[in-house]
Amino acid sequence: MTTNERRVLVHPDKQALAASVAARFLTKAADIIAEHGSAHVVLTGGTIGIGSLAAVNESPSRDTVDWSKVHFWWGDERFVPKADGDRNELQARQALLDHIDVPAENIHAFAASDEVASLDEGVAAYTAELARHSPDGGQWPRFDITFLGVGPDGHIASLFPNLPGIRVTDVPVISVQNSPKPPPLRLSLTRPVINSSERVWLVLAGADKASALGLALAGASYFEVPAAGAKGRRRTAFFVDQDAAAEVPEDLIAESY
């Protein structure tokens, strides 16, 4: 697979998908740390995103990674209280982060609604946190792997079809006040930050994702199908189950990554 190619890796079911993503992540994280000394990873929520983190935790290879050298970020977050079960952060902690030896300062969560007074404060806080870990005075870190889920409507992070957020290019973080998927209030990275990542791994499962995946791979407008605009600097891979792959052209299905 050559640089910037987009390929689809198909798995027989959700369990095999999560296990495969976990295995690849552990291998790649160790390689990145060996090369750069640290790794910056952007996490996603959703059933299969959190399932993949749980599979990392269950892997016998889990502790081959020096987690003290991994920084975890999020592509988006629901603006709800810290202990709310809807938070991607809470789900990720329960699935993986609370079970590994990662320093608290390496976990970069979006502010919760009971930690800041407004969405705007949440935007400012995460913008500052990104800049704090950016090399050479940039706006955000060098991201090594960005995980993305894909909604049935083709949305990624909290960038939804035909809403203003997908068009924003001049700031790294936005607020979302009218998410078509509840809860309505959210914080999200913007497309330039997502696409600055060396590798973008889109992970999706289920027949309800097949149409969005097919449109994304067919070159649909990313304003209408945001997943079509997600592209890593080096690699863009779609990890999917058989049901989600129903509309994927044969020539895009990879035998290996």
Side-chain angles (χ1 to χ4, degrees):
M1 182 164 152
T2 58
T3 299
N4 287 331
E5 265 192 289
R6 308 172 89 192
R7 283 292 180 264
V8 183
L9 294 99
V10 182
H11 304 78
D13 53 43
K14 293 179 182 178
Q15 184 176 2
L17 169 59
S20 175
V21 171
R24 292 172 190 276
F25 172 64
L26 287 164
T27 299
K28 184 56 65 177
D31 290 345
I32 291 166
I33 292 167
E35 181 178 355
H36 297 289
S38 65
H40 286 262
V41 178
V42 179
L43 300 179
T44 186
T47 302
I48 195 63
I50 298 301
S52 297
L53 294 182
V56 171
N57 185 49
E58 293 161 6
S59 171
S61 301
R62 184 193 73 178
D63 294 328
T64 61
V65 172
D66 183 350
W67 296 110
S68 71
K69 296 181 178 178
V70 181
H71 288 257
F72 291 101
W73 303 80
W74 276 266
D76 73 322
E77 186 56 275
R78 290 86 180 265
F79 194 62
V80 294
K82 188 79 170 175
D84 194 303
D86 273 342
R87 272 184 68 85
N88 292 333
E89 177 203 357
L90 179 61
Q91 294 174 27
R93 286 183 179 276
Q94 292 171 340
L96 175 63
L97 302 183
D98 287 348
H99 307 283
I100 57 177
D101 191 18
V102 57
E105 61 268 23
N106 286 18
I107 299 175
H108 309 279
F110 281 98
S113 63
D114 53 357
E115 294 178 317
V116 294
S118 67
L119 279 168
D120 287 346
E121 284 191 25
V123 168
Y126 215 60
T127 298
E129 185 72 1
L130 289 165
R132 192 174 299 120
H133 293 270
S134 173
D136 305 321
Q139 290 183 279
W140 55 78
R142 176 189 57 81
F143 289 122
D144 298 290
I145 300 173
T146 292
F147 287 98
L148 293 173
V150 178
D153 61 356
H155 83 264
I156 53 173
S158 284
L159 305 178
F160 292 92
N162 300 311
L163 291 185
I166 188 59
R167 298 177 181 269
V168 174
T169 60
D170 59 342
V171 295
V173 183
I174 58 166
S175 63
V176 177
Q177 301 189 42
N178 57 345
S179 165
K181 179 181 178 181
L185 303 182
R186 297 166 176 244
L187 295 160
S188 182
L189 299 184
T190 56
R191 184 170 167 263
V193 184
I194 291 169
N195 287 357
S196 74
S197 184
E198 292 294 296
R199 302 158 192 84
V200 170
W201 291 3
L202 299 100
V203 184
L204 55 158
D208 62 331
K209 309 294 180 69
S211 176
L213 177 59
L215 289 169
L217 293 167
S221 162
Y222 65 81
F223 298 133
E224 298 178 357
V225 184
K231 299 176 182 178
R233 290 168 60 89
R234 293 180 59 184
R235 296 284 188 271
T236 309
F238 293 79
F239 297 89
V240 308
D241 70 353
Q242 196 69 52
D243 291 340
E247 299 182 29
V248 175
E250 281 292 326
D251 63 330
L252 291 182
I253 296 177
E255 293 185 7
S256 63
Y257 179 57

